[in-house]
Amino acid sequence: MSKKQISKVQSIDAPKERIEKDLLGERSLPKEVYYGVQTLRAMENFNITSICVGDFPNLVKALGMVKKACAIANAKLNLLENEKAEAITKACDEVISGKFNNQFVVDMIQGGAGTSTNMNANEVIANRALEILGHEKGRYEIISPNNHVNLSQSTNDVYPTALRLALIMSTPELYESIASLGYQCKQKAVEFSRVIKMGRTQLQDAVPMTLGQEFEAYYATLKEDLDMLKAVSNNFKEINLGATAIGTGINTDPEYSSLVIEELCWISDIHFVRATNLIEATSDMGAFVTLSSMLKRTAIKVSKICNDLRLMSSGPRAGLNEINLPAMQPGSSIMPGKVNPVIPEVVNQVAYQVIGNDLAITMAAEAGQLQLNVMEPVIAFNLLRSIKFLSNAFNTLAIRCISGITANEEHCKSMVYNSIGIVTAINPYLGYEESTRIAKEALATGENIINLIKRDGLLTDLQLADILNPENMTQPRRQFSFEKKS
């Protein structure tokens, strides 16, 4: 039999599975996978959302960075042989690159405070490091997920540190989407700066404003939240790496915590600092709650903007009809010609989901007991989802809605000058009682406010023209007092 034939027979007969064991016993795994027995058990135990750790690339990347920092620190402290440390760091680099995202198969929501996610990372890195050294997967007596990859670590410091890093890496996408949305609102503020319309309070006519002022307010509220979100993100630069199980640093070298955090700074290019109190930092979820609250706040604000857009575009003939939203798709299967505000509607729904995520995060943060909060996985899941949802929603709103809005300028102007609301601009010149009488008559008869004032000779055409000048009605101006009125 030739060498080629022997090789072919061997490949046919080669086992397609490998056997691994843990404290519960032996299990077989597909030979090609990089995860191990503990990951397999987690897959079986936590079939919850069908959304895996690998579906969040920044979390996988962060885990790879943390594990790399740990390996380098352990090698520098002579706790890990250089050959093993180099193989582990090379494997970590491949994890960081995204090469093994499909091997991070544990469900995001899991029991065990994230232990399954940590072991998923440990097993993938160990098995890839074994390959780098020329060994088969599963040879844990050479490189062990626990003894080597997880050296000087606990899930309780690795998982929250990786989550903080993942959030720092994920939020720039959200910042960019908010900035893009704000930019589109600013553009419309300039474009509509001379479009006069009625401002409303309690859905009733209030006083005139410009459509530009309305969009300028949207820009201002988005900019405010963008600045606050960036400030909140700084909270995640304080980490508990080196705390191990509960914050006492058991099973670590006295120099380890400072050294591993320094290595993580170099790897991630982010300036992390060691938490002042590692026991507090291991159990406290305050930073996550603060970020979630800010995400909820921003979601609420943008949802309110979407409510406004839907109202202002309502009609087109039986509503406000002040603006036109871009027509994105037919709006009805039964009503011909109907077009719906589908983009604001979907953003509203995203906001509701983020508000719900915040409640889940709130309850999970409150559920901490003693030295650990075991509910961190659901916190991670909802924070990362909220960031992704909002980023996508804001980009959609900016590009597929705000950028294409047009104004019905003449209709807006007509509503202003036929409104009861303009009597407020006249009030300083006629006084509250006389203005109220005019408003009541106009409301009862349907007559125009301006015509009633002219009829009663209360103000001249020149005075009315000055008072009702759009610029004078939409910004502060010096006025004559009622007593000085001629």
Side-chain angles (χ1 to χ4, degrees):
M1 186 179 292
S2 68
K3 288 183 178 180
K4 187 174 182 180
Q5 289 173 319
I6 292 172
S7 176
K8 186 174 181 180
V9 170
Q10 287 175 338
S11 66
I12 292 172
D13 294 337
K16 296 181 180 179
E17 294 185 338
R18 70 176 191 269
I19 303 297
E20 290 191 16
K21 64 179 180 179
D22 60 9
L23 65 89
L24 298 182
E26 293 186 344
R27 292 297 302 272
S28 63
L29 296 98
K31 193 171 184 180
E32 71 275 8
V33 301
Y34 286 86
Y35 57 81
V37 60
Q38 294 197 50
T39 301
L40 177 65
R41 294 194 192 280
M43 292 169 65
E44 295 169 344
N45 290 334
F46 310 127
N47 185 16
I48 306 298
T49 68
S50 299
I51 299 173
C52 302
V53 172
D55 293 323
F56 295 93
N58 280 334
L59 182 55
V60 175
K61 185 176 181 179
L63 285 163
M65 288 181 173
V66 171
K67 293 295 177 180
K68 180 178 179 179
C70 294
I72 294 171
N74 283 318
K76 287 186 175 181
L77 293 169
N78 296 317
L79 299 172
L80 187 63
E81 296 174 28
N82 286 334
E83 184 184 38
K84 292 178 180 179
E86 288 176 7
I88 290 171
T89 56
K90 286 179 182 178
C92 288
D93 284 335
E94 293 182 347
V95 168
I96 292 166
S97 74
K99 181 177 180 179
F100 295 109
N101 285 359
N102 65 348
Q103 297 297 305
F104 284 77
V105 291
V106 177
D107 199 290
M108 281 293 293
I109 297 183
Q110 57 195 253
T115 297
S116 296
T117 296
N118 186 33
M119 287 309 303
N120 193 166
N122 289 335
E123 290 174 341
V124 169
I125 292 167
N127 281 313
R128 179 56 187 145
L130 284 166
E131 283 188 337
I132 289 170
L133 293 178
H135 303 289
E136 291 184 343
K137 302 182 190 75
R139 295 289 305 276
Y140 295 153
E141 73 277 10
I142 300 170
I143 293 185
S144 163
N146 292 87
N147 297 332
H148 301 117
V149 182
N150 200 61
L151 181 62
S152 305
Q153 302 156 57
S154 164
T155 295
N156 303 344
D157 63 344
V158 166
Y159 188 82
T161 296
L163 176 55
R164 282 167 165 78
L165 176 52
L167 290 169
I168 291 172
M169 292 189 292
S170 298
T171 45
E173 181 183 5
L174 177 60
Y175 302 156
E176 187 175 340
S177 69
I178 296 172
S180 176
L181 182 57
Y183 172 79
Q184 293 298 337
C185 289
K186 185 69 171 180
Q187 292 292 100
K188 292 301 167 181
V190 174
E191 182 181 343
F192 301 146
S193 62
R194 300 192 65 80
V195 178
I196 191 167
K197 59 159 284 181
M198 279 306 299
R200 298 176 180 84
T201 57
Q202 286 105 329
L203 292 180
Q204 307 298 305
D205 296 354
V207 296
M209 66 184 302
T210 68
L211 188 57
Q213 287 174 319
E214 200 153 19
F215 277 88
E216 182 71 31
Y218 298 154
Y219 165 75
T221 199
L222 290 167
K223 184 179 184 302
E224 180 182 61
D225 273 31
L226 178 57
D227 292 340
M228 293 182 70
L229 276 165
K230 289 180 178 179
V232 165
S233 295
N234 287 326
N235 294 338
F236 297 114
K237 294 179 182 178
E238 182 180 284
I239 57 177
N240 73 329
L241 197 56
T244 63
I246 65 169
T248 61
I250 190 172
N251 292 348
T252 65
D253 185 280
E255 297 179 20
Y256 172 77
S257 182
S258 297
L259 183 56
V260 73
I261 291 173
E262 181 182 347
E263 293 299 332
L264 185 59
C265 292
W266 283 110
I267 292 166
S268 65
D269 196 28
I270 296 168
H271 181 63
F272 288 105
V273 295
R274 186 174 183 266
T276 304
N277 186 306
L278 292 180
I279 293 176
E280 181 272 341
T282 302
S283 61
D284 179 61
M285 301 290 105
F288 301 129
V289 172
T290 302
L291 176 60
S292 180
S293 297
M294 271 306 306
L295 295 176
K296 179 180 73 171
R297 169 185 156 130
T298 305
I300 290 169
K301 285 188 173 189
V302 176
S303 188
K304 185 270 181 191
I305 291 172
C306 289
N307 293 340
D308 290 354
L309 297 177
R310 290 164 57 203
L311 275 172
M312 289 190 287
S313 66
S314 61
R317 295 190 178 180
L320 297 184
N321 193 32
E322 293 178 341
I323 60 173
N324 308 299
L325 305 184
M328 303 310 299
Q329 61 188 59
S332 174
S333 61
I334 188 174
M335 293 173 278
K338 191 171 188 289
V339 178
N340 295 328
V342 293
I343 302 302
E345 288 172 353
V346 75
V347 176
N348 282 135
Q349 292 172 76
V350 169
Y352 307 152
Q353 182 63 56
V354 170
I355 293 166
N357 292 349
D358 176 69
L359 179 58
I361 291 165
T362 301
M363 298 304 297
E366 185 275 338
Q369 296 170 320
L370 303 177
Q371 279 68 59
L372 183 65
N373 189 314
V374 301
M375 309 300 176
E376 282 184 64
V378 78
I379 292 175
F381 178 60
N382 283 296
L383 276 175
L384 291 168
R385 282 204 313 165
S386 289
I387 290 170
K388 188 66 177 176
F389 289 173
L390 289 177
S391 299
N392 291 342
F394 293 168
N395 284 329
T396 299
L397 182 61
I399 296 167
R400 304 188 71 80
C401 182
I402 303 290
S403 65
I405 290 176
T406 58
N408 296 320
E409 186 170 354
E410 289 303 315
H411 178 64
C412 288
K413 183 178 179 180
S414 173
M415 285 200 290
V416 169
Y417 289 106
N418 284 296
S419 167
I420 304 298
I422 61 169
V423 77
T424 303
I426 296 167
N427 178 48
Y429 303 92
L430 297 185
Y432 190 84
E433 290 76 13
E434 188 73 349
S435 296
T436 299
R437 180 187 68 79
I438 294 293
K440 286 178 65 177
E441 183 177 349
L443 191 60
T445 63
E447 185 58 80
N448 184 285
I449 288 279
I450 299 171
N451 291 340
L452 291 175
I453 292 171
K454 288 181 177 180
R455 182 200 66 187
D456 294 346
L458 299 174
L459 292 168
T460 66
D461 289 348
L462 190 61
Q463 288 172 320
L464 280 169
D466 178 62
I467 295 168
L468 301 179
N469 181 297
E471 290 184 3
N472 292 338
M473 287 195 294
T474 57
Q475 60 188 3
R477 64 171 299 204
R478 293 191 182 277
Q479 300 170 350
F480 294 109
S481 68
F482 173 66
E483 287 78 14
K484 293 181 180 180
K485 179 180 70 70
S486 58

